[in-house]
């Protein structure tokens, strides 16, 4: 299945409605800053996931649009702020908001996106009781994302991060939003409790697989395709599952080698390349790949709660795509 | 009426419930950063206003607590982020969050507070339809606050800010939250449309008066009472109504004098004092004072929609307090 082709109508819908939803505000600079990242593209995975789930459960994909938009807007708000916190200069091949504008404006743009996400959510055409649950869960989700981001920053200053800690961090920082997308889509489409539960777990596992695969790509992808620097995670000292696995398995000598380059901001390309080779040799990258694929496989199993349909096939394919993509 | 004494029970309720509402999260550093400012005191004017209005309209002050807490939490989130944007090191006599912790943590703490505000809002015990309106209006409010903050920052780089522009900026940045507090309180207590409209406008005018009075205090208050540096607005080049009035009325010579010191970060105490004297001479401070008091008087008139009660008396007093206080 060519996922991009199959999803192109939905992606177009997201692009168009997102553009409209963010065509708001009288402060020109703030408005430009707010629109900069969300309208620069992106895979639109979260809103599309919500829509496909809603279609698969009850043919309600269109109804789920405001919910999907809310998630996409909130996703972008977290990226704008994360880029400031992480001092990232590029994303999706363009300058990040605080670099293109300035830092105060980027902080403000993130805040305004966050607020706009909730405004858009309230336009969702479901019973107020359901909407209320979604508002509460989305707000809680954002709080956990903040906790995950904080852990992520803390890990960079520590050498003893465990696999358990890492998994919890990506569960909060990345996976939760996929979980919420699938869960919300099922709720909006009037799914049974069994369907909602299974799809919630599907989204969670999909998100975990997605993030682990992202970590792999950050070290192994074709830089031109990825749109950001390959190997930067090494220079920044990111504690990914790959690095955690390496620290558990490397010889003392190789561990010292890794420690030397990890977090060395001005590491040369040669140093970074050698480090990546080391991680490959010890099977650390393979370990993360396999873990990601295991999550994706489990996610697919959970789709048994859905009757056969074209939409279900897309959900199966999305789980595969998450751990196969090249960017 | 001794407002502090009359409101002390409500303030205590806000302090206690706020402490509980923010006793959440597993990331110790983030949790401390999130609690730093909200639990450092503050006047609690916004939640108290919501509670007193709900009492005055229908004896429903207690019911309004989660709504009031939501506003107080969101108010504090905006302060945490504003302090980063404005590079302020002190607030309420203590270090600001980005100074006490670090900037990434402060950005994150603000985001988490924002999210928590919405979570708390959803615990409000009103019909889901009403709750939905409040979620939408609070989200919209935060978006406008962001616009106001952006204008405020822009004005610092311009010399031609008009009175109209300034009034719009404080309407968005400060007054809206008072407006929302009074409006929400009236809605939660089941007020009539006439009452809700009048109290919305009461809150708006109270907020405008409050901000104008804040501008006056920033130049004339006793520094020890105020908890922040008197005259800093001059060094930062803030375009307040006072400064706008001065630029409209000063002789060419005095205008040049003012322009020289305004925005001069390292201005001496003598330079700042002389500038404040100039603003006094030309009646600019008096002009802002009178405008503030006019708004407060209009706000009081609007309370005619309420039947006589102890709560109504408090609302009358709050309007007076806003433009009389020394800190």
């Amino acid at each position: 299945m060519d996922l991009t082709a199959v999803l192109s109508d939905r992606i177009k819908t997201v692009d168009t409605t997102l553009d409209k939803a963010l065509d708001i505000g009288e402060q020109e600079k703030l408005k430009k800053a707010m629109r900069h990242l969300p309208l620069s593209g992106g895979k639109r995975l979260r809103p599309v996931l919500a829509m496909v789930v809603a279609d698969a459960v009850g043919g309600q994909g269109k109804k789920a649009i405001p919910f999907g938009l809310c998630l996409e807007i909130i996703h972008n708000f977290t990226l704008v702020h994360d880029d400031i916190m992480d001092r990232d200069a590029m994303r999706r091949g363009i300058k990040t908001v605080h670099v293109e504008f300035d830092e105060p404006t980027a902080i403000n743009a993130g805040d305004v996106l966050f607020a706009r996400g909730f405004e858009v959510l309230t336009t969702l055409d479901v019973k107020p009781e359901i909407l209320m649950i979604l508002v509460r869960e989305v707000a809680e989700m954002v709080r956990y994302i903040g906790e995950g981001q904080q852990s992520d920053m803390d890990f960079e200053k520590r050498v003893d991060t465990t696999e358990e800690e890492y998994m919890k961090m990506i569960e909060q920082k990345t996976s939760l939003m996929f979980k919420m997308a699938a869960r919300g889509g099922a709720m909006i489409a009037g799914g049974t409790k069994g369907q909602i539960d299974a799809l919630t777990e599907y989204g969670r596992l999909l998100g975990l697989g997605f993030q682990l695969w992202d970590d792999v790509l950050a070290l192994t992808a074709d830089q031109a395709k990825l749109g950001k620097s390959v190997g930067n995670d090494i220079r920044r000292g990111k504690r990914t599952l790959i690095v955690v696995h390496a620290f558990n398995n490397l010889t003392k000598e190789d561990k010292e080698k890794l420690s030397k380059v990890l977090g060395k901001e001005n590491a040369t390309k040669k140093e970074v390349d050698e480090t990546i080779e080391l991680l490959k040799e010890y099977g650390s990258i393979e370990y993360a790949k396999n873990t990601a694929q295991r999550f994706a496989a489990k996610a697919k199993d959970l789709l048994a709660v859905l009757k056969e349909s074209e939409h279900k096939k897309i959900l199966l394919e999305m789980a595969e795509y998450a751990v196969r993509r090249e960017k």
Side-chain angles (χ1 to χ4, degrees), chain A residues 108-175:
Chain A
N108 210 11
D111 292 345
V112 166
L113 282 172
F114 187 175
R116 187 68 185 143
F118 274 101
E119 275 186 280
V120 171
L121 182 54
T122 64
T123 65
L124 186 65
D125 183 24
V126 292
K127 280 188 199 148
E129 292 78 9
I130 304 284
L131 192 44
M132 227 44 260
I133 296 171
L134 291 174
V135 168
R136 180 180 307 148
E137 292 191 357
V138 169
E140 189 186 51
M141 174 193 82
V142 175
R143 193 162 52 72
Y144 282 127
I145 291 172
E147 299 237 323
Q149 165 67 6
Q150 195 72 25
S151 299
D152 199 10
M153 293 192 291
D154 279 5
F155 292 170
E156 288 178 21
K157 291 170 208 143
R158 287 172 43 192
V159 292
D160 58 346
T161 308
T162 64
E163 178 163 341
E164 201 189 340
E165 286 178 314
Y166 173 78
M167 291 308 298
K168 185 174 176 182
M169 184 275 283
I170 65 167
E171 173 120 25
Q172 293 180 321
K173 188 172 166 179
T174 310
S175 166

Side-chain angles (χ1 to χ4, degrees), chain A residues 25 45 51 55 77 80 83 86 106 136 140 156 162 164 261:
Chain A
L45 275 181
M51 288 165 76
D55 267 331
F77 131 65
V80 171
D83 286 339
D86 298 342
R136 180 180 307 148
E140 189 186 51
E156 288 178 21
T162 64
E164 201 189 340
V261 182

Side-chain angles (χ1 to χ4, degrees), chain A residues 54-109:
Chain A
D55 267 331
V57 169
Q60 301 281 331
K62 283 232 168 80
K63 198 171 162 184
I65 292 173
F67 174 70
L69 285 183
C70 162
L71 291 185
E72 185 67 13
I73 293 170
I74 285 181
H75 171 54
N76 276 275
F77 131 65
T78 65
L79 296 180
V80 171
H81 280 187
D82 283 3
D83 286 339
I84 307 172
M85 297 187 224
D86 298 342
R87 314 237 59 83
D88 275 322
M90 299 286 287
R91 179 181 291 275
R92 294 180 191 155
I94 58 168
K95 283 183 194 162
T96 49
V97 181
H98 64 284
V99 171
E100 179 71 31
F101 299 84
D102 53 58
E103 200 175 302
T105 302
I107 294 176
N108 210 11

Side-chain angles (χ1 to χ4, degrees), chain A residues 205 292-302 319 323:
Chain A
L205 293 167
Q293 282 161 348
R294 223 173 51 237
F295 283 131
K298 271 198 218 165
K300 283 164 68 178
D301 289 347
L302 286 156
V323 297

